[in-house]
Amino acid sequence: MPDEPVGPTEILPVDVASVPLGHHGVRGRALLAVAAAVVLVGAGTGTSLALSGGTGGGASTPGAAVNNLFTALGRSDVIGMLDALAPGERNAIEPGLQDIFGQLKRINILSPDADLGNLTGLSVQYQGFTTSTDTLAPDVAAVTVTGGSVTGSVDPSQLPLASYFKDLLGVALQGKPHNATSPASGKFVMGTEEVGGGWYVSLGYTIAINALRGEGKSGAPPTASGAVVAAGASTPEGAVQGLFNAVSNLDLQGLLADLPPDEMAAVDAYAPDWLPQAQAAIDKVKGAVSITFSHLSFTTTTLDDGTLVQIGDGLTVDVNADGAHVSYGDGCFTATYQGRTTHMCRSQDAATIAKLLQALPAAVQPIFQRLTSATPVTGLVTVEENGSWFVSPVRTALQGASGWLGLFQPSDIQTIIANASGIKAAIEKYFQQLSAGGGIAGAVPALGSLGQQTS
């Protein structure tokens, strides 16, 4: 109902308009996007995200759900923003964000007192904020901002950064707060979903609805009867094995059925719009393409919100496509095409990496030596829903990012930045020398390995 009258639940509470701004801020819509990204992607702290505050059971209407999200944004309250998201999406995002935020504090990018409930230095103020609601399905609605203005601000001196990075940003922004005001209305809509009798903002439905409306469609999901039915497995290892099986069989529906239904609700709902055509296109090349995984083994580690499944080192992969063959095993790749074979192994990279490290400034050599030799604790994160286990894409991506951050020590980033010009000069000189000597193919691992050919 795009033209419905705006009711009480379609206007942000008065207290949002009183969020303190300071004297200056960043450009309106740009700041809104930056603030939302910082809050949703850069968050996670030791503070519990049980999300017992806020609305808890969801909002009474789609418009109220959007209001809850933007009210929390106006208060720089990450916990409140997560509480406004659909539970499946919130639960997939929250643990990984906690870990990432904790890692950023550990390595001295964020300040020790950075707080999810009050992300200082950023604020957003709304005036006359109104929305309209378009019901797309019994449990899905699109909410459009129809009026009002937004004023955003950023104060470099108050951002929750460690002092070193706060000083860097302060120099970039001349150390002064900035602000700007712009209209809040536009063509962008927020997708909302009803779960358990309450309404929540859904990132998945937001992406899908905006993409479809960009093509001139209503954004309504297909009938529920055509949605993907999640299957999962009886164990975490079984879920990961199922994922490999789906890839090996080039089975898109099987792949989607192995993903968590709560987390992937929007993907499952809209699958009938694209899945049959995509699978039909893949089926046409099945005879010419094969993917085989062998010697799969798994180890598991219990996480707070699921189980991390890591793949054993013995994995081998064989891919055949249109007369080409590529295989991987024991740390080596072999590719054969039109009678020519190339072979490359990670062990061949050691000498090249050692030479490059020696060319870097002395202060960063130990850092890069550690980073190039260490292995992050990463894998596929699986979760249990309704007695079945599924592979969670969002949790896996966030856990992987946290794993890589875990390789850094507290002073590493500052040391790298302080020696950035020396690192750049050393790398340029290194490759100039190789070019002059005709040795690039022998010194760059990928190119050097490709030089090993057999008929």
Side-chain angles (χ1 to χ4, degrees):
M1 296 177 291
D3 298 321
E4 67 181 353
V6 177
T9 61
E10 307 293 330
I11 303 176
L12 280 176
V14 175
D15 58 358
V16 179
S18 62
V19 175
L21 286 173
H23 299 293
H24 306 281
V26 172
R27 301 182 178 241
R29 293 184 182 176
L31 174 78
L32 179 60
V34 171
V38 170
V39 170
L40 284 175
V41 180
T45 183
T47 304
S48 171
L49 284 187
L51 302 176
S52 58
T55 58
S60 59
T61 68
V66 173
N67 284 349
N68 288 341
L69 179 71
F70 283 101
T71 296
L73 176 59
R75 293 171 177 165
S76 300
D77 178 7
V78 179
I79 295 177
M81 292 187 68
L82 288 170
D83 196 27
L85 294 182
E89 296 177 350
R90 178 198 66 202
N91 294 336
I93 294 170
E94 175 264 317
L97 289 182
Q98 278 196 4
D99 291 342
I100 290 173
F101 202 78
Q103 291 286 6
L104 293 176
K105 294 171 75 171
R106 181 187 65 82
I107 61 179
N108 294 328
I109 292 178
L110 295 177
S111 64
D113 58 353
D115 182 5
L116 272 176
N118 181 21
L119 198 66
T120 58
L122 292 171
S123 72
V124 182
Q125 178 188 30
Y126 303 93
Q127 298 285 352
F129 192 71
T130 59
T131 63
S132 66
T133 299
D134 185 9
T135 300
L136 303 178
D139 59 349
V140 179
V143 178
T144 304
V145 177
T146 56
S149 64
V150 56
T151 300
S153 73
V154 59
D155 185 347
S157 67
Q158 298 300 315
L159 289 173
L161 298 172
S163 57
Y164 178 84
F165 292 94
K166 189 178 294 185
D167 291 342
L168 285 180
L169 186 59
V171 170
L173 297 177
Q174 291 85 45
K176 298 178 180 180
H178 297 266
N179 74 342
T181 300
S182 66
S185 60
K187 295 182 179 180
F188 185 79
V189 300
M190 301 291 290
T192 61
E193 176 186 10
E194 186 181 25
V195 182
W199 285 92
Y200 301 86
V201 173
S202 166
L203 300 179
Y205 277 104
T206 295
I207 293 171
I209 292 169
N210 280 280
L212 289 171
R213 291 199 169 184
E215 298 175 359
K217 301 177 182 178
S218 69
T223 58
S225 61
V228 171
V229 178
S234 59
T235 65
E237 299 93 328
V240 174
Q241 181 68 63
L243 194 70
F244 278 95
N245 291 345
V247 173
S248 182
N249 294 328
L250 301 178
D251 179 9
L252 282 181
Q253 180 151 341
L255 182 68
L256 293 180
D258 202 44
L259 307 181
D262 284 355
E263 177 183 334
M264 307 300 290
V267 175
D268 291 346
Y270 286 95
D273 275 348
W274 60 270
L275 183 58
Q277 297 89 337
Q279 186 63 61
I282 291 176
D283 289 344
K284 291 181 180 180
V285 300
K286 270 189 174 181
V289 177
S290 67
I291 304 174
T292 305
F293 300 99
S294 305
H295 304 102
L296 270 170
S297 63
F298 308 114
T299 57
T300 61
T301 303
T302 300
L303 305 176
D304 290 340
D305 67 326
T307 298
L308 178 68
V309 180
Q310 295 178 280
I311 314 301
D313 292 336
L315 171 67
T316 61
V317 184
D318 287 280
V319 179
N320 290 283
D322 195 24
H325 175 256
V326 178
S327 65
Y328 169 82
D330 296 325
C332 295
F333 286 91
T334 301
T336 302
Y337 183 63
Q338 293 183 344
R340 302 180 64 186
T341 298
T342 61
H343 187 71
M344 50 185 137
C345 295
R346 288 181 297 178
S347 59
Q348 298 168 332
D349 299 348
T352 299
I353 292 174
K355 291 180 181 178
L356 181 57
L357 289 176
Q358 292 172 2
L360 298 175
V364 301
Q365 288 183 17
I367 297 174
F368 285 101
Q369 178 63 50
R370 171 166 32 85
L371 295 177
T372 55
S373 60
T375 301
V377 180
T378 59
L380 296 170
V381 180
T382 61
V383 293
E384 187 178 17
E385 291 186 16
N386 300 320
S388 295
W389 286 88
F390 301 88
V391 178
S392 169
V394 173
R395 290 176 176 87
T396 297
L398 293 174
Q399 191 277 332
S402 179
W404 281 102
L405 286 173
L407 299 180
F408 289 87
Q409 297 299 323
S411 61
D412 286 353
I413 303 298
Q414 296 180 27
T415 302
I416 291 172
I417 292 176
N419 290 273
S421 60
I423 294 172
K424 178 176 181 292
I427 293 175
E428 290 177 346
K429 182 178 180 180
Y430 178 76
F431 283 103
Q432 286 173 358
Q433 291 174 343
L434 290 175
S435 179
I440 288 183
V444 179
L447 295 178
S449 302
L450 287 174
Q452 301 177 12
Q453 300 178 348
T454 59
S455 303

